[in-house]
């Protein structure tokens, strides 16, 4: 007998072919649902961001602004104590600060040249040589000088003959041997020859010979040589001739300057003319010698204003015995004002109290146990004080000596 087929029960450990597809479909549904949730969340976030506008771009942190109040640490002053002075109301002199240049003093410079045409036969000085007044610095050989010496010798001989003739005529006239007319002619001839000799001497003096050299004419034969002498004591600044060079009369040969006295020339604007006068004290400084202070006085204010610059020239006379000031050098000049000349009292502080911070003038005002930085506007200066037009009150007290320590602390 044949057995009917029996149903087979699937094993729990092995899924059937029909169950596997169902599990895969379930996992796919779960993944799809998760993805949809993520997408929905992103969409909602995007909508929320769009409603609020774009997020600001983060910027780097800004450095905290420095406080305007400064308190020094213990022991920061060291040996440099801070001096506090009150803001006062006073009259300021109104000093004028200007730029000028050093120039030769026209009273202490000379251009030397031959007074006759000739040839340079000797040179005794060059550029930079210090010469004394009357010192021979060159020698010129000239035909004119030889002729002038010969004319003097001839005039001297004629005068000697005329003097002898006059002496003889006077004796004859006294003895009544000759007439008075002959004596008068002899006297006239003697006077004429004397004038001719003095003219010859004057010509040699004009050429450049000294009185002793003129007296020695005839005693020695110097030919046509004439010395060229320094008319002042000083330094040879320039030499324009060379040995053997032919020169004409009035040729510039040497430039000599006494640098112990110099001028400083300034351009003074119209608005400052009323504050400058002859005799006013002046202080000069140079960049090459920052520690040196030169004193001078206003010697002359030119009464003509230049149409191009709208300024008048001011001449300062300066003693320069050590030669520290050089011709053409730029200098800064401070014309010292007079506080008693029509000035009104103004708020003023010491110049040492003013510090430059961020390109602006500022001071440190005493505030409790510290100091407060305050920007100010400056006016005119007078001596060690400077006018304050805004930023301070009369009852304020500012740091003067040692204010740079507060500036250093502020900029730390």
């Amino acid at each position: 007998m044949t057995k009917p087929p029996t149903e087979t029960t699937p094993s729990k450990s092995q899924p059937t072919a029909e169950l596997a597809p169902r599990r895969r479909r379930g996992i796919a549904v779960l993944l799809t649902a998760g993805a949809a949730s993520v997408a929905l969340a992103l969409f909602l976030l995007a909508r929320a961001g769009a409603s609020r506008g774009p997020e600001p771009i983060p910027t780097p942190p800004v450095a905290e602004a420095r406080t305007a109040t400064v308190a020094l640490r213990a022991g920061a002053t060291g040996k440099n104590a801070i001096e506090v002075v009150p803001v006062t109301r006073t009259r300021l002199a109104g000093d004028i600060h200007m730029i000028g240049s050093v120039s030769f003093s026209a009273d202490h410079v000379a251009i030397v040249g031959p007074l006759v045409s000739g040839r340079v036969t000797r040179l005794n000085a060059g550029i930079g040589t210090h010469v004394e007044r009357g010192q021979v610095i060159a020698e010129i050989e000239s035909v004119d000088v030889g002729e002038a010496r010969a004319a003097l010798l001839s005039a001297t001989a004629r005068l000697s003959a005329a003097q002898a003739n006059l002496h003889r005529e006077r004796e004859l006239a006294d003895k009544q041997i000759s007439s008075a007319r002959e004596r008068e002619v002899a006297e006239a001839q003697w006077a004429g020859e004397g004038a001719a000799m003095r003219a010859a001497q004057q010509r040699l003096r004009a050429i450049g010979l000294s009185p002793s050299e003129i007296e020695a004419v005839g005693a020695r034969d110097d030919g046509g040589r004439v010395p060229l002498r320094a008319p002042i004591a000083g330094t040879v600044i320039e030499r324009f001739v060379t040995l053997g060079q032919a020169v004409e009369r009035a040729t510039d040969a040497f430039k000599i300057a006494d640098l112990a006295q110099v001028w400083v020339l300034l351009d003074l604007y119209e608005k400052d003319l009323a504050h400058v006068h002859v005799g006013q004290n002046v202080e000069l400084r140079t960049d090459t010698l920052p520690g040196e202070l030169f004193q001078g006085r206003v010697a002359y204010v030119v009464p003509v204003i230049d149409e191009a610059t709208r300024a008048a020239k001011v001449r300062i006379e300066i003693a320069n015995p050590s030669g520290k000031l050089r011709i053409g050098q730029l200098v800064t000049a401070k014309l010292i004002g007079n506080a008693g000349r029509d000035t009104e009292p103004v708020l003023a502080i010491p110049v040492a109290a003013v510090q430059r911070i961020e390109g602006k003038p500022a001071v440190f005002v005493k505030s409790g146990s510290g100091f407060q930085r305050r920007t100010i506007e400056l006016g005119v200066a007078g001596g060690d004080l400077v006018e304050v037009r805004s930023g301070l009150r009369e009852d304020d007290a500012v740091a003067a000596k040692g204010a740079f320590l507060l500036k250093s602390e502020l900029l730390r």
Side-chain angles (χ1 to χ4, degrees):
M1 169 184 266
T2 305
K3 294 181 179 181
T6 61
E7 293 182 358
T8 306
T9 303
S11 174
K12 293 182 180 180
S13 60
Q14 294 180 355
T16 62
E18 182 179 359
L19 183 57
R22 291 179 181 176
R23 288 185 177 180
R24 286 195 295 271
R25 285 195 300 271
I27 293 173
V29 170
L30 290 175
L31 291 176
T32 303
S37 299
V38 173
L40 178 60
L42 293 176
F43 174 73
L44 293 176
L45 287 174
R47 287 194 62 184
S51 63
R52 292 194 305 267
E55 291 290 334
I57 300 175
T59 57
V62 179
E64 184 180 356
R66 293 180 178 139
T67 177
T69 302
V70 182
L72 290 177
R73 296 165 297 168
T77 56
K79 297 181 180 180
N80 300 313
I82 295 179
E83 178 185 356
V84 178
V85 298
V87 178
T88 58
R89 188 172 292 275
T90 184
R91 296 177 184 270
L92 293 184
D95 299 339
I96 301 175
H97 296 266
M98 307 172 67
I99 301 295
S101 60
V102 182
S103 177
F104 293 110
S105 170
D107 299 329
H108 297 85
V109 66
I111 303 295
V112 188
L115 301 176
V116 291
S117 59
R119 184 172 60 89
V120 179
T121 57
R122 190 173 66 176
L123 290 171
N124 297 337
I127 296 177
T129 303
H130 180 80
V131 296
E132 298 296 333
R133 182 178 181 180
Q135 180 178 335
V136 176
I137 56 178
E139 192 174 78
I140 308 296
E141 181 75 27
S142 173
V143 174
D144 295 339
V145 176
E147 292 177 350
R149 278 199 174 98
L152 177 60
L153 291 175
S154 177
T156 302
R158 293 195 303 271
L159 176 61
S160 178
Q163 188 172 5
N165 182 53
L166 175 60
H167 180 69
R168 183 172 56 255
E169 290 296 332
R170 283 176 176 174
E171 289 182 347
L172 293 175
D174 291 340
K175 296 177 182 180
Q176 297 182 349
I177 298 176
S178 65
S179 64
R181 172 65 180 171
E182 291 174 332
R183 186 181 63 182
E184 292 173 355
V185 170
E187 290 177 348
Q189 185 179 6
W190 172 80
E193 295 301 340
M197 188 191 72
R198 289 190 294 273
Q201 291 175 337
Q202 183 61 35
R203 183 184 178 189
L204 288 174
R205 189 177 296 111
I207 286 174
L209 270 67
S210 65
S212 60
E213 290 171 335
I214 294 174
E215 290 180 3
V217 171
R220 62 175 184 267
D221 184 12
D222 291 329
R225 293 188 298 276
V226 59
L228 199 60
R229 289 184 171 85
I232 63 172
T235 303
V236 177
I237 303 299
E238 294 181 79
R239 193 183 77 183
F240 308 103
V241 296
T242 57
L243 191 64
Q245 178 180 342
V247 294
E248 296 295 329
R249 180 180 178 181
T251 298
D252 293 343
F254 295 87
K255 183 176 183 179
I256 302 173
D258 180 8
L259 301 179
Q261 293 288 332
V262 296
W263 288 354
V264 173
L265 301 180
L266 308 173
D267 287 326
L268 181 68
Y269 293 107
E270 290 183 79
K271 64 182 181 65
D272 296 323
L273 279 172
H275 305 291
V276 177
H277 56 89
V278 174
Q280 187 171 356
N281 292 327
V282 181
E283 294 179 354
L284 300 175
R285 288 182 171 83
T286 66
D287 291 337
T288 54
L289 297 170
E292 292 282 344
L293 179 65
F294 302 90
Q295 304 282 350
R297 291 181 179 272
V298 175
Y300 185 59
V301 180
V302 178
V304 178
I305 296 177
D306 187 272
E307 295 183 359
T309 62
R310 306 307 305 171
K313 288 290 184 183
V314 176
R315 189 179 77 210
I316 312 298
E317 294 183 356
I318 300 291
N320 187 38
S322 58
K324 293 181 178 180
L325 292 176
R326 298 176 180 271
I327 304 303
Q329 186 175 24
L330 291 178
V331 298
T332 56
K334 181 171 75 172
L335 279 68
I336 309 300
N338 185 354
R341 294 179 60 134
D342 303 328
T343 58
E344 295 295 332
V346 295
L347 287 180
I349 59 174
V351 176
V354 181
Q355 302 293 317
R356 304 293 298 190
I357 302 176
E358 297 177 353
K360 298 179 180 179
V363 294
F364 292 93
V365 181
K366 184 66 176 175
S367 177
S369 61
F371 292 86
Q372 182 185 26
R373 184 190 74 179
R374 195 175 296 176
T375 302
I376 60 175
E377 179 185 355
L378 299 177
V380 298
D384 295 331
L385 300 178
V386 62
E387 176 189 1
V388 178
R389 293 180 177 173
S390 64
L392 290 176
R393 297 186 300 269
E394 192 169 352
D395 56 347
D396 288 332
V398 298
K401 180 181 177 182
F404 67 94
L405 293 174
L406 296 171
K407 176 182 176 181
S408 301
E409 187 69 20
L410 177 69
L411 299 178
R412 284 173 59 86

